[in-house]
Amino acid sequence: MLSFSHTLISLPFGLTLTNPLLIFIAAFLMHLISDMFLHWNIYPHHYKSYPFFRVGVDVLSGLVFSYLLLSNALFTLPVLAAIAGGNAPDVLHAFWSFLEKAKQKNAPGFVQWAFHFHEIIQRETLSPLVGGLWQIIFCSVAIILVTFLR
């Protein structure tokens, strides 16, 4: 799922909960749940080199749209904790993918299991139209909730 979507989906957690650690964990878990729905993504393995520009545009567009929804409330600790938690699994996975295969194999078993789990729960499609449907639904619900909670 795009970072744009994970960012928007995480915002209601930052507006409803108060404990930053709880917010981070809830948004992190929501990231995993939303990955279980059919979605489209930027596939780094389809490029000759890592698509830093495309990923940067994805991340930045989520932050800009969040600012348009929340204005300066974006910069509160609860909202920042939600955005961080909502994107953490993919950020960690990107760093994991940059590691050499030998280092990945030498990582503790629970670390290997966590990244494998994140991979197997993905329900990705190569079609942006088909994969975008659930992202549109999740983002629409999040926008409605943010509008109501503001």
Side-chain angles (χ1 to χ4, degrees), residues 50-85:
Y50 194 84
F52 287 106
F53 180 76
R54 290 175 189 244
V55 171
V57 168
D58 177 27
V59 171
L60 189 59
S61 64
L63 294 172
V64 168
F65 196 86
S66 297
Y67 180 77
L68 294 174
L69 282 172
L70 297 174
S71 65
N72 287 334
L74 174 70
F75 303 109
T76 62
L77 183 58
V79 173
L80 292 174
I83 292 170

Side-chain angles (χ1 to χ4, degrees), residues 22-148:
L22 181 62
I23 293 166
F24 182 91
I25 292 168
F28 189 101
L29 293 174
M30 188 62 194
H31 175 113
L32 299 176
I33 291 167
S34 61
D35 275 350
M36 293 178 190
F37 288 82
L38 190 63
H39 62 276
W40 179 82
N41 204 354
I42 297 170
Y43 302 98
H45 59 280
H46 289 180
Y47 299 91
K48 290 181 181 179
S49 62
Y50 194 84
F52 287 106
F53 180 76
R54 290 175 189 244
V55 171
V57 168
D58 177 27
V59 171
L60 189 59
S61 64
L63 294 172
V64 168
F65 196 86
S66 297
Y67 180 77
L68 294 174
L69 282 172
L70 297 174
S71 65
N72 287 334
L74 174 70
F75 303 109
T76 62
L77 183 58
V79 173
L80 292 174
I83 292 170
N87 284 282
D90 286 343
V91 171
L92 293 170
H93 213 116
F95 285 123
W96 174 256
S97 70
F98 293 144
L99 284 177
E100 299 169 4
K101 296 295 180 197
K103 289 186 179 182
Q104 290 179 358
K105 289 181 181 180
N106 288 332
F110 75 93
V111 172
Q112 293 180 44
W113 176 88
F115 287 111
H116 178 67
F117 176 77
H118 188 229
E119 287 175 10
I120 63 171
I121 64 169
Q122 300 293 323
R123 294 230 20 244
E124 296 177 330
T125 177
L126 294 177
S127 169
L129 294 176
V130 173
L133 179 62
W134 278 108
Q135 292 182 87
I136 290 169
I137 292 169
F138 275 102
C139 287
S140 297
V141 169
I143 291 167
I144 291 166
L145 288 171
V146 166
T147 304
F148 176 74

